[in-house]
Amino acid sequence: MTRKKDARDGLLISPIENGTVIDHITAGEALNVLRIIGITGTTTESISVATNVESKKMGTKDIVKIKNRELRKEEVDRIALIAPRASINIIRNYKVWEKKGVDIPDRVIGIVRCPNPGCISNTNEPIRSCFLVQKNGLRCLYCDWLITKDITSHII
Amino acid sequence: MRHIISVRDLSKEEIETILDDAAAIQSGSYDPSALRGKLLGLLFFEPSTRTRMSFAAAMARLGGDFLSMDSVEASSMAKGETLADTIRVVSGYVDAIVLRHPKEGAARLASEFARVPVINAGDGAGQHPSQTLLDLFTIRQSMPLEGIHVGLLGDLRYGRTAHSLAHALSLYNVTIHTITPKGLELPAGLAGELRDAGTEVVEHDDISTCVRDLDVLYVTRIQRERFPDAASYFKVASSYRVTPELLSGTRDHFIVLHPLPRVDEIDPRVDSLPCARYFEQSANGIPVRMAMLLRVMG
């Protein structure tokens, strides 16, 4: 017999009519997820963020809900860099219209700054940073610098 | 359109093809008018003697001509022009570009904006594929590349020639011995990558402990220009020197290489030993660069 949902459990974030719910984000990475998908303090989306939420699958997790915006596939895949277990739910009329995981992209463009101060991508040339996603980390397309850890701190 | 930006872009088969072509060229088997009517742009934003002159000589030997831009001060870069714009302009004048630049990744950027093939002639502390190919060519003249022990001595932190060579050697079943002053070790990322590729990497801090186990000793200069300040340079300068005494008892086919220029890391008395191959190595730049030019423009 399943336990009847206790009102005290409450709803941490209210449901949205239309938009995207990003669930199973690695705990503590929600704000970086927003940066990766280009949501900053100056954008107009209505956002709800929950961090360190209890999760049976992950222990703790973060959740992000974005009202009235459906994330595109390439936006979603960037999230895999810092939250490889994230799942994306596209919501229409309060129902989950589509549910998908994230796939790690072959390359990430304009998201991560090369830590190599001598790299041409850190100058005023008309290019965007570009990293090839390899099994041992992110490799700068230009200077070959390999980022093996702490990718978050290099996000532009 | 084929660029040559990094040894990472070349498969083992492509490397072997270029080395075979270079060997044929060296034995006189080439068409001296193969590139007649073609123009090569030499864009050198850093000082260079061997690389610039050998590309110019290689082009001339194939019947082609070249335009040369030898300093930032003499170019529109001094007016603030981006490298991207310089490349777009120059690629309207020539049939291929050879680029030397102080920023790492400059050649990759150039290949994105050029309408003609780009050959990387060294970018910062990054890649220098033509040097690596002539290094491999010189080793292969003395012994097979498979299964050998190669010592890399000197500045392996900033030394782009050693980085490129180590990567290329990882395509062969070699053991790499790194011998470095403290602080100038091979970058951890590259060392890890070599090991991931199955290459055994053995670290040493004293050349005398391993020189008799080597087939090749690749000596590099400590590059003063790559250090952030003079103090950190002088801390490691003159910390090693290859002498005839050091090389006594080495293997029969053992050879010493150096990309040149040298400062004081190889005693001039070594020059007359049969193992000293660095001047032949430098001369090998011509057939190897001829093979590269034919590959991108032929």
Side-chain angles (χ1 to χ4, degrees), chain B residues 117-267:
Chain B
V118 173
I119 296 176
N120 186 2
D123 53 355
Q127 291 284 330
H128 196 349
S130 65
Q131 179 68 46
T132 299
L133 289 166
L134 76 88
D135 294 341
L136 294 175
F137 183 74
T138 309
I139 296 171
R140 210 178 71 159
Q141 284 178 321
S142 296
M143 66 194 85
L145 289 166
E146 294 286 349
I148 58 175
H149 286 249
V150 179
L152 302 177
L153 171 64
D155 173 7
L156 304 190
R157 179 176 178 188
Y158 299 107
R160 63 184 165 208
T161 57
H163 294 173
S164 286
L165 179 60
H167 183 80
L169 287 170
S170 73
L171 299 173
Y172 299 86
N173 181 30
V174 303
T175 302
I176 293 177
H177 300 259
T178 64
I179 311 117
T180 62
K182 197 166 170 51
L184 295 182
E185 295 87 358
L186 206 62
L190 178 56
E193 200 180 344
L194 295 173
R195 289 187 173 111
D196 287 347
T199 303
E200 188 176 357
V201 181
V202 188
E203 294 174 9
H204 308 267
D205 53 15
D206 182 358
I207 175 66
S208 64
T209 61
C210 66
V211 69
R212 281 158 204 84
D213 300 325
L214 301 177
D215 301 297
V216 178
L217 176 62
Y218 191 88
V219 187
T220 65
R221 174 176 64 98
I222 294 186
Q223 302 173 91
R224 184 173 188 163
E225 65 273 25
R226 306 261 179 244
F227 280 75
D229 55 69
S232 51
Y233 167 73
F234 283 114
K235 205 182 282 183
V236 292
S238 305
S239 57
Y240 55 90
R241 185 171 170 83
V242 176
T243 62
E245 293 75 27
L246 175 78
L247 301 181
S248 66
T250 50
R251 292 177 172 177
D252 290 344
H253 57 270
F254 170 80
I255 60 172
V256 179
L257 302 180
H258 190 305
L260 304 178
R262 66 173 157 178
V263 184
D264 55 4
E265 58 276 3
I266 298 181
D267 187 323

Side-chain angles (χ1 to χ4, degrees), chain A residues 116-121 123-127 134-136 139 141-146 148, chain B residues 6 8 80 82-84 88 101-106 108-109 112-113 123 127 189 193 196:
Chain A
N116 176 8
C119 179
I120 194 93
S121 69
T123 64
N124 67 341
E125 296 292 339
I127 52 169
Q134 300 184 335
K135 67 174 187 206
N136 49 354
R139 180 177 298 287
L141 174 74
Y142 293 100
C143 75
D144 283 344
W145 190 283
L146 188 65
T148 54
Chain B
S6 164
R8 288 179 196 282
T82 61
L83 176 62
R88 280 191 275 218
H101 196 278
K103 285 287 179 187
E104 289 158 48
R108 183 78 63 195
L109 175 145
E112 291 178 0
F113 290 91
D123 53 355
Q127 291 284 330
E193 200 180 344
D196 287 347

Side-chain angles (χ1 to χ4, degrees), chain A residues 75-92:
Chain A
E75 292 175 306
V76 166
D77 286 346
R78 294 173 190 171
I79 295 167
L81 295 174
I82 56 170
R85 298 173 71 183
S87 58
I88 314 297
N89 301 287
I90 302 296
I91 310 294
R92 290 182 190 169

Side-chain angles (χ1 to χ4, degrees), chain B residues 40-44 51-53 55-56 66-70 96-99:
Chain B
L40 179 66
L42 298 174
L43 300 188
F44 278 67
T51 307
R52 184 166 58 82
M53 288 187 69
F55 267 112
F66 61 89
L67 296 176
S68 187
M69 196 280 292
D70 300 336
I97 290 171
V98 173
L99 177 70

